[in-house]
């Protein structure tokens, strides 16, 4: 499993390798193909606002965006990985939400990352039952992460 990560923020104060480890853990828990690739980008509020407007036709920033690519169950040629997609996270939004929700910034960032990974694997939260299933998977993965890291 390959997890690529980049920050568009300068300077980046977060431990990027912590994101990589959690993303791999979530992919493993969801039994994603071993030969898969995801990318993660950390962006500032202005960039997230622009992306949210361009791709979701929504005004203002959001906390996380996911852009699925290949179907995780898709068969690929020998040696060619499945490209699951991209996750974009705005840490400044996560920080504000963490204050609002009374939790740590790390916990909020971890939730957003796992949420993004699940979107790449086909989960959504449009219907209430789907939202509940996705939230349950998020909590299961994050609970296991806390025990196993």
């Amino acid at each position: 499993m390959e997890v690529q990560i980049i920050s568009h923020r300068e300077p980046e104060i977060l431990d990027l390798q912590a994101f990589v480890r959690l993303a791999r853990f979530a992919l493993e828990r969801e039994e994603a193909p071993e030969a898969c690739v995801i990318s993660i980008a950390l962006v500032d509020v202005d960039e997230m606002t622009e992306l949210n407007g361009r791709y979701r036709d929504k005004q203002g920033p959001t906390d996380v965006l996911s852009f699925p690519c290949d179907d995780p169950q898709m068969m690929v040629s020998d040696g060619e990985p499945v490209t699951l997609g991209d996750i974009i996270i705005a840490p400044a939004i996560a920080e504000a939400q963490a204050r609002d929700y009374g939790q740590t910034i790390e916990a909020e960032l971890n939730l957003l990352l796992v949420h993004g990974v699940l979107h790449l694997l086909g989960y959504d939260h449009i219907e209430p039952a789907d939202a509940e299933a996705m939230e349950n998977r998020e909590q299961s993965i994050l609970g296991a992460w806390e025990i196993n890291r």
Side-chain angles (χ1 to χ4, degrees):
M1 293 177 185
E2 182 179 346
V3 178
Q4 303 166 348
I5 189 163
I6 188 169
S7 174
H8 295 185
R9 304 173 340 139
E10 288 294 331
E12 181 54 71
I13 59 171
L14 297 173
D15 177 4
L16 299 183
Q17 289 310 304
F19 282 93
V20 171
R21 289 189 299 274
L22 177 55
R24 281 196 182 121
F25 182 82
L27 290 166
E28 289 168 1
R29 296 292 287 198
E30 288 299 304
E31 299 179 356
E34 183 61 35
C36 70
V37 177
I38 68 168
S39 70
I40 304 164
L42 303 178
V43 300
D44 63 24
V45 173
D46 290 340
E47 186 172 357
M48 184 59 95
T49 300
E50 193 273 324
L51 292 169
N52 201 30
R54 182 185 321 160
Y55 293 105
R56 294 182 61 227
D57 201 27
K58 305 257 183 192
Q59 289 190 343
T62 190
D63 50 8
V64 62
L65 290 171
S66 299
F67 299 97
C69 195
D70 294 338
D71 181 336
Q73 305 308 317
M74 185 176 87
M75 297 300 291
V76 294
S77 304
D78 283 341
E80 185 177 330
V82 175
T83 302
L84 296 178
D86 304 320
I87 301 167
I88 316 296
I89 297 174
I93 303 296
E95 184 176 1
Q97 289 177 171
R99 278 192 305 270
D100 291 345
Y101 302 149
Q103 65 180 4
T104 67
I105 296 166
E106 179 185 16
E108 184 66 13
L109 287 167
N110 288 350
L111 174 62
L112 295 176
L113 178 58
V114 170
H115 186 87
V117 168
L118 292 177
H119 272 305
L120 297 185
L121 295 172
Y123 286 80
D124 71 48
H125 43 80
I126 296 169
E127 298 297 326
D130 294 334
E132 183 177 350
M134 187 172 186
E135 185 176 319
N136 288 341
R137 284 308 300 150
E138 290 166 353
Q139 294 310 311
S140 174
I141 291 167
L142 290 168
W145 172 249
E146 287 301 317
I147 292 168
N148 290 297
R149 65 176 175 155

